Amino acid sequence: MRRDDIRNVAIIAHVDHGKTSLVDCMLRQSGRFRESQLAGEQILDTNELERERGITILSKNIAIPYRGVRINLIDTPGHADFGGEVERVLRMADGALVLVDAAEGPMPQTRFVLSKAFECGLRPLVVINKIDRPDARPHEVLDEVLDLFLQLGADDLLADFPYLFASAKLGYATADPHHTTDGVRPLMDMILEKIPGPEVQLDEPLQMLVTTLDWSDYVGRIAIGRVQSGTLRKGQNVVLMQAGDKITPAKAVAVYLFEDLGRKEVHEIDAGEICAVVGLEGVEIGDTVAAPQAPKALKRVTVDEPTLQMTFGVNTSPLAGREGKYLTSRHLRERLFRELERNVALQVEPIPGTEQFAVAGRGILHLSILIETMRREGYELSIGKPRVIFREIDGRKCEPFETLVVESPCDKTGPVMELVGARRAQLIEMSSHNDYNFMNFSIPARGLIGLRTRLLNATAGTAVVHHRYEKYAPVVEAIPDRQTGVLVSIAAGQAVAFALDGLQERSELHVAPGDVVYEGMIVGENSRSGDMNVNPTKEKKLTNMRAAGHDRNVLLKPARRLSLEEALEFIADDELVEVTPSQIRLRKVLLKETDRRRAARKDV
């Protein structure tokens, strides 16, 4: 039977196509909140990093009552690196709001999330958002969405999808982009009409698939999922059907329904509801909460394999321990394995014979968010160069390829093609809208490392870059590494303006006067290939003799401070990124010059 009093809906789209803004409109126009409760924008982006970066990182659950029906909304991340979040939460939904930008059209992540929605059997409802943009082309984009549906093998029922046009910024949805309405009620009505209620088996034994884990300092792990059959009651004895056919007894100490922006404790949960359960010790994502009398596991959540790997280790620089609280490999191990409990797209393996860990994820942003979170918690660590994960398929060595979409002004197309072509990319498709070109490439994941920064520099910051994992294919020829060397300090102390003045003519500096440096620390980027050993602490020799022309003012260019992602893309194989709660520094793996020379002779 189907329940008509519930709708479980996931909101899926490419990054920055307006998912969270649309949810803001639905919350504000629901009549459930005072104005003070919904202050600001992107209300669901409560994480500090989400606020700073303007992207959704973690999926969120809310519930909005409308016309006697509870609409459970699941806001999902739009960035490709957080696709693991999307893959698992789609198992909780019966339908999906597919948002597409009225100017950009379907992007790589749109294809990915739509294919996953089809795999889960969700009914799509397409929303062409941002129709208020001056370059909007809503009807053309609608045709492109239909083409995408057909490419993904949609049947006649799915290809005849319902659709609406909307402007989340102005707060309305409409069937005709030339006529505005007074709110998003047409969208809410279409959700009730076109997206079916959950199919449930109320008389069957309890089954609930755990798709998300939350954490509370008071009650520990909180399992979130959808009850597929039966009823889950407060205080009920259950069993966890875990990986490897393991069955673990447990007890549901408390059960919660999602209500508005929070949760409400209830006595029991019927099939079809999305709920949170407290008290299930040892529960993991993918486990099935089942009745002890008839334990039966649901299909476990599976996500695509990681494609990028970095080495995490403790901070071993001379400045280690000055800022952080967690400094040892034991602290690092506990934190990384704790992250595995909720981040299913992550993999962590200790490196034998060392105190380091190989951490694999979906991309540089996926791993850099973890690093940024750890440094804010008080960890100090050293990160190695990102490397793609190779696999052997049918006896051939293969590497991951990605779909790369670059949007740039027409007069900047030449530099874009030159940079991307040098990274062994193949142009698949090219189109123009107004004064912008949209270029679609297939590129090895190795070629993406460091490419975004170079594209932004080459296009004066006007390029928009998106990429999405495509497939594994045979390894292509070598991809050019960084063409420039670095300036490596041979002394410890504070950087001095006099010394930096002599260095800035041949390099781009990463430190400013007064910054603390140490032997082996990278203080700048050389203008030529090859590393150069320098002394940034060298002071001007003092004398009581006057000399004409020697007392000129020192004018230094501002130091180039690299962000975490830029630092990870910049470093070479023999370099590390040193991360502390307040600093990001670059250094050589071997700090002493004599050790580096000895290692270079061994390599020869």
Side-chain angles (χ1 to χ4, degrees):
M1 60 171 289
R2 285 195 181 274
R3 291 186 60 174
D4 289 331
D5 59 336
I6 303 173
R7 298 292 187 273
N8 297 323
V9 185
I11 303 183
I12 56 179
H14 189 79
V15 64
D16 202 29
H17 278 199
K19 295 178 302 301
T20 308
S21 298
L22 187 65
V23 175
D24 286 358
C25 293
M26 298 171 77
L27 288 171
R28 286 197 167 93
Q29 297 179 27
S30 66
R32 301 278 300 178
F33 305 94
R34 297 187 304 275
E35 191 173 337
S36 60
Q37 290 178 278
L38 301 176
E41 298 179 344
Q42 281 74 50
I43 298 161
L44 293 191
D45 287 347
T46 53
N47 183 294
E48 186 180 348
L49 281 174
E50 291 178 324
R51 287 283 184 186
E52 288 180 13
R53 294 170 181 257
I55 59 174
T56 301
I57 297 171
L58 303 171
S59 61
K60 316 287 192 316
N61 296 72
I62 62 168
I64 302 175
Y66 180 68
R67 285 172 39 187
V69 177
R70 179 201 302 276
I71 301 177
N72 288 315
L73 287 175
I74 309 166
D75 186 22
T76 63
H79 200 284
D81 285 16
F82 306 109
E85 286 274 324
V86 181
E87 288 180 66
R88 66 170 193 254
V89 300
L90 289 181
R91 296 283 294 273
M92 292 193 288
D94 298 294
L97 289 186
V98 184
L99 262 71
V100 184
D101 190 296
E104 294 181 357
M107 299 294 278
Q109 181 73 352
T110 314
R111 172 183 289 270
F112 168 75
V113 294
L114 200 53
S115 65
K116 294 299 178 183
F118 287 167
E119 287 177 19
C120 295
L122 304 189
R123 291 297 306 274
L125 195 166
V126 174
V127 179
I128 308 299
N129 193 27
K130 301 190 180 182
I131 61 172
D132 57 306
R133 285 181 58 160
D135 56 346
R137 44 189 190 94
H139 291 294
E140 289 180 47
V141 168
L142 189 61
D143 292 339
E144 292 173 9
V145 173
L146 177 59
D147 291 341
L148 178 58
F149 270 62
L150 297 176
Q151 289 174 24
L152 295 175
D155 56 27
D156 292 342
L157 184 63
L158 288 177
D160 188 22
F161 54 83
Y163 62 87
L164 279 175
F165 302 94
S167 169
K169 183 178 179 181
L170 300 181
Y172 70 87
T174 177
D176 183 352
H178 301 295
H179 294 88
T180 62
T181 61
D182 58 356
V184 293
R185 287 189 179 276
L187 176 59
M188 308 277 276
D189 292 334
M190 188 171 279
I191 288 174
L192 300 193
E193 293 169 15
K194 301 296 185 180
I195 293 180
E199 201 170 84
V200 297
Q201 297 169 314
L202 292 174
D203 299 330
E204 296 293 318
L206 169 66
Q207 281 185 309
M208 170 187 153
L209 182 67
V210 178
T211 51
T212 308
L213 286 181
D214 201 354
W215 174 265
S216 166
D217 291 334
Y218 302 103
V219 297
R221 289 193 196 184
I222 302 171
I224 298 173
R226 174 174 146 182
V227 179
Q228 302 283 0
S229 63
T231 302
L232 178 61
R233 296 180 178 85
K234 177 180 179 180
Q236 180 178 344
N237 290 319
V238 298
V239 293
L240 298 177
M241 312 295 293
Q242 300 188 294
D245 297 329
K246 182 181 175 185
I247 300 178
T248 307
K251 183 177 182 179
V253 175
V255 291
Y256 294 84
L257 268 182
F258 289 94
E259 186 177 75
D260 298 335
L261 293 175
R263 302 175 189 146
K264 176 183 71 173
E265 186 172 0
V266 295
H267 183 68
E268 65 179 27
I269 306 284
D270 290 325
E273 292 277 14
I274 296 174
C275 65
V277 187
V278 170
L280 306 179
E281 292 187 14
V283 66
E284 302 285 353
I285 288 173
D287 291 354
T288 300
V289 181
Q293 303 83 4
K296 186 179 178 182
L298 294 164
K299 182 181 176 183
R300 289 190 72 84
V301 175
T302 58
V303 295
D304 290 344
E305 294 290 317
T307 58
L308 197 75
Q309 180 176 284
M310 296 182 196
T311 301
F312 282 45
V314 295
N315 186 10
T316 56
S317 86
L319 303 181
R322 295 192 179 188
E323 301 174 21
K325 295 187 292 183
Y326 307 108
L327 311 171
T328 66
S329 59
R330 178 179 63 84
H331 288 136
L332 187 58
R333 170 188 286 272
E334 290 175 355
R335 179 63 181 83
L336 289 175
F337 281 95
R338 190 165 74 246
E339 183 69 21
L340 289 178
E341 295 177 359
R342 63 173 68 184
N343 197 338
V344 293
L346 200 71
Q347 291 182 0
V348 178
E349 292 182 8
I351 299 177
T354 69
E355 293 187 343
Q356 297 177 325
F357 300 86
V359 182
R362 288 289 185 86
I364 286 183
L365 181 62
H366 183 205
L367 295 174
S368 69
I369 289 292
L370 170 61
I371 298 167
E372 184 68 36
T373 304
M374 291 175 65
R375 69 186 286 230
R376 294 183 184 207
E377 293 172 359
Y379 287 83
E380 288 192 15
L381 56 159
S382 297
I383 313 295
K385 180 180 174 62
R387 292 183 173 85
V388 299
I389 300 173
F390 296 96
R391 292 184 193 162
E392 190 166 314
I393 301 175
D394 298 330
R396 300 183 67 181
K397 186 179 181 182
C398 295
E399 66 175 328
F401 277 69
E402 306 219 359
T403 299
L404 172 69
V405 176
V406 181
E407 174 189 350
S408 74
C410 294
D411 60 336
K412 304 289 185 183
T413 302
V416 171
M417 298 290 280
E418 182 181 352
L419 278 171
V420 177
R423 301 298 182 101
R424 311 295 183 239
Q426 299 290 326
L427 180 65
I428 306 299
E429 184 183 3
M430 183 172 172
S431 60
S432 297
H433 303 311
N434 297 330
D435 295 330
Y436 278 79
N437 282 334
F438 289 77
M439 292 158 278
N440 194 336
F441 301 91
S442 178
I443 185 171
R446 283 183 296 150
L448 282 174
I449 298 174
L451 179 62
R452 180 185 294 271
T453 304
R454 294 181 182 276
L455 284 175
L456 290 174
N457 290 340
T459 61
T462 56
V464 180
V465 183
H466 301 292
H467 59 88
R468 167 80 240 159
Y469 167 74
E470 180 185 359
K471 62 183 178 182
Y472 265 84
V475 174
V476 297
E477 55 189 291
I479 291 174
D481 290 329
R482 188 179 70 205
Q483 300 299 307
T484 56
V486 292
L487 305 187
V488 186
S489 173
I490 58 172
Q494 285 190 330
V496 176
F498 174 77
L500 297 181
D501 183 40
L503 298 176
Q504 70 175 351
E505 297 176 3
R506 65 194 80 179
S507 67
E508 188 170 16
L509 296 174
H510 293 167
V511 296
D515 288 352
V516 178
V517 299
Y518 54 82
E519 183 179 4
M521 178 175 161
I522 295 171
V523 296
E525 181 180 0
N526 196 359
S527 58
R528 301 178 182 178
S529 61
D531 297 343
M532 183 164 59
N533 296 312
V534 299
N535 181 4
T537 65
K538 180 181 177 183
E539 296 184 349
K540 182 179 180 181
K541 292 199 179 337
L542 300 179
T543 174
N544 59 357
M545 301 293 292
R546 287 191 174 189
H550 282 266
D551 288 332
R552 63 185 181 88
N553 288 331
V554 174
L555 297 175
L556 289 177
K557 293 182 293 186
R560 181 188 170 200
R561 305 291 189 182
L562 298 180
S563 67
L564 181 56
E565 283 92 353
E566 289 172 339
L568 292 171
E569 292 179 342
F570 178 81
I571 58 174
D573 291 332
D574 63 338
E575 297 164 5
L576 296 173
V577 178
E578 176 192 348
V579 178
T580 72
S582 67
Q583 297 290 329
I584 295 174
R585 304 184 184 96
L586 307 182
R587 50 162 285 191
K588 289 290 185 180
V589 174
L590 301 174
L591 296 179
K592 292 188 175 297
E593 182 185 358
T594 52
D595 293 340
R596 293 196 296 275
R597 287 182 177 175
R598 192 177 297 119
R601 285 197 296 269
K602 285 183 181 178
D603 291 340
V604 173

